[in-house]
């Protein structure tokens, strides 16, 4: 009797800590169909935030409970999504603070072909949000990062952003971020 109860408790604990539900990210529901495309999904907690203006190789934030990231590449075009669920709201706030600090620190780095620049502006989505754009020698990206409760969601794509970051160019990303702030609240750990 005690052994069966112990096994049932262990099984329930495993099921509760098994990660984010499949299909939580929008890209998981619509993987690419072209054979030359690459599509990766990972639950690695070591992965840095996808919006990474200083190009850190490892994460800098602490307190991660669960995470999932998806990356789709097709030639020079890339799309990505990442959801990080933290142990509590304090860790998620700290992660957004670190992201903002990195956007300031690495706003204009390098010279010539090695120069890259990042711009950011606040965004009224979730509990805390921002939109950002990065320009490189032969490319760039634009992304939206939002915090809702104890979760941070980042969605981005290849783009050639201007310093003014017009909101109209971010509509698709903002739509995904708004929808994700609703989905996040279905996770009890998110503390919405």
């Amino acid at each position: 009797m005690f052994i069966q109860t112990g096994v049932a408790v262990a099984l329930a604990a495993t099921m509760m800590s098994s990660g984010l539900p499949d299909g939580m990210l929008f890209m998981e529901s619509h993987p690419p169909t072209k054979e030359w495309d690459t599509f990766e999904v990972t639950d690695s907690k070591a992965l840095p935030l996808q919006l990474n203006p200083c190009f850190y190789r490892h994460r800098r934030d602490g307190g991660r409970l669960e995470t999932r990231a998806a990356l789709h590449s097709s030639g020079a075009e890339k799309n990505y999504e990442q959801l990080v669920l933290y142990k509590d709201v304090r860790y998620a706030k700290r992660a957004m603070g670190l992201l903002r600090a990195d956007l300031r620190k690495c706003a204009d780095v390098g010279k010539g072909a090695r120069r890259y620049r990042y711009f950011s502006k606040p965004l009224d989505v979730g509990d805390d949000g921002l939109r950002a754009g990065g320009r490189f020698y032969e490319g760039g990206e634009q992304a939206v990062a939002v915090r809702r409760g104890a979760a941070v969601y980042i969605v981005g794509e290849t783009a050639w952003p201007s310093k003014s970051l017009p909101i109209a160019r971010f509509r698709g990303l903002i739509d995904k971020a708004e929808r994700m702030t609703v989905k996040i609240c279905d996770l009890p750990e998110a503390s919405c």
Side-chain angles (χ1 to χ4, degrees), residues 39-52:
F39 181 70
E40 298 175 49
V41 177
T42 180
D43 290 339
S44 171
K45 293 179 189 173
L47 189 69
L49 293 178
Q50 293 285 21
L51 178 55
N52 186 2

Side-chain angles (χ1 to χ4, degrees), residues 3-4 11 16 35 37 43 50 54 61 65 77 86 92 94 119-120 122 127 134 140 142-145 178 188-189:
I3 293 173
Q4 289 177 335
L11 182 60
M16 288 173 61
E35 63 184 57
D37 287 3
D43 290 339
Q50 293 285 21
C54 298
D61 56 340
L65 190 61
E77 301 291 318
Y86 294 90
R94 184 173 182 273
F119 323 106
S120 65
D127 298 326
Q142 63 186 23
V144 166
E178 288 173 337
E189 302 91 345

Side-chain angles (χ1 to χ4, degrees), residues 2 39 73-74 81-82 91 94 114 120-121 134 151 170 173:
F2 291 113
F39 181 70
S73 299
S74 179
E81 275 186 289
Q82 184 177 32
Y91 285 107
R94 184 173 182 273
R114 295 187 183 269
S120 65
K121 291 193 173 194
F170 287 81
L173 299 177

